[in-house]
Amino acid sequence: MKTAAVLACLTGAASAFTAAPSASRTSVATKMSVFDDYVGAKDLRGNDFQFDPLKLSESYSPFVGFFREAELRHGRTAMLAVMGFVATDFVRIPGDMYSFEAIPKTVDAHDILVQSGPMHQLLLWISLFDILITYPAIQAMNAGERDAGDFGLTKFAPKDKAAFDKKRESELLNGRLAMCAIGGIATQTVLTGNGFPYV
């Protein structure tokens, strides 16, 4: 049974690296893709990048806007997490509770701060933000009143659409990279026990 499960996983993973079946040349019309409607179907070299191996955009098409909203939110959070993880190896906010003596390694901060209390406040404030801001924003997105990830903070955004879309693509690419990076940073610091540069 274990062998069959391992083989199934390996086969599924290997199929991610195979070429997609080529489209038939006799077809007259092409099917619209979710990637046609959203910015961000480009990789870092500017090539097409339409990655949806589980076909979630087809299976759960009403949730595509929510998927983009979640991708943007997780990407933004990961970018902040990478900066916070690296910065706290060098500087800390004032207070004995946050000092290098109280928390010698950044990776230990979560457990220490859960025991001493401030993490409960963080959970409360994030929950409050989700209730008051995120939930109504997703309802407005589903009603077509706003785009995914758009909170109206565009004061410094470029005025022309092409430059603005380029910034949006950059945000997606940086967020995707940060999501991978924070996982790598956390894993490397736990394995080595060292702070930045985690070797």
Side-chain angles (χ1 to χ4, degrees):
M1 187 64 175
K2 289 180 188 177
T3 306
V6 169
L7 286 175
C9 288
L10 289 174
T11 304
S15 67
F17 299 103
T18 60
S22 59
S24 171
R25 293 188 186 271
T26 59
S27 65
V28 176
T30 59
K31 183 179 175 185
M32 287 296 293
S33 169
V34 69
F35 299 106
D36 298 335
D37 298 332
Y38 286 95
V39 172
K42 302 284 183 193
D43 65 7
L44 63 122
R45 297 165 301 196
N47 298 332
D48 286 343
F49 182 71
Q50 299 182 357
F51 186 74
D52 187 14
L54 299 178
K55 305 290 185 210
L56 294 176
S57 62
E58 296 171 13
S59 303
Y60 301 100
S61 58
F63 297 112
V64 168
F66 177 76
F67 294 157
R68 176 51 59 97
E69 180 86 24
E71 180 182 24
L72 285 166
R73 180 173 178 169
H74 286 94
R76 291 168 181 166
T77 304
M79 288 187 273
L80 289 171
V82 168
M83 289 301 298
F85 217 116
V86 173
T88 54
D89 282 336
F90 302 104
V91 294
R92 301 285 172 91
I93 58 176
D96 292 336
M97 184 184 308
Y98 309 108
S99 68
F100 285 100
E101 292 78 28
I103 306 171
K105 294 189 294 187
T106 302
V107 74
D108 298 330
H110 177 270
D111 294 340
I112 292 170
L113 295 176
V114 164
Q115 293 169 0
S116 60
M119 291 295 279
H120 300 291
Q121 286 184 15
L122 184 64
L123 177 64
L124 173 75
W125 289 112
I126 290 173
S127 300
L128 191 63
F129 179 85
D130 281 345
I131 292 167
L132 297 177
I133 307 292
T134 306
Y135 181 73
I138 289 177
Q139 295 303 320
M141 181 193 62
N142 289 339
E145 299 170 11
R146 67 181 275 276
D147 290 332
D150 181 16
F151 287 96
L153 304 173
T154 57
K155 181 175 179 159
F156 301 107
K159 302 300 178 212
D160 63 322
K161 183 176 177 358
F164 187 62
D165 286 349
K166 181 74 173 155
K167 290 287 185 186
R168 291 172 62 196
E169 284 180 8
S170 296
E171 180 187 23
L172 277 167
L173 289 172
N174 290 335
R176 291 168 183 165
L177 176 63
M179 286 187 270
C180 295
I182 194 62
I185 289 171
T187 302
Q188 193 71 6
T189 194
V190 167
L191 290 177
T192 65
N194 297 327
F196 185 80
Y198 315 110
V199 291

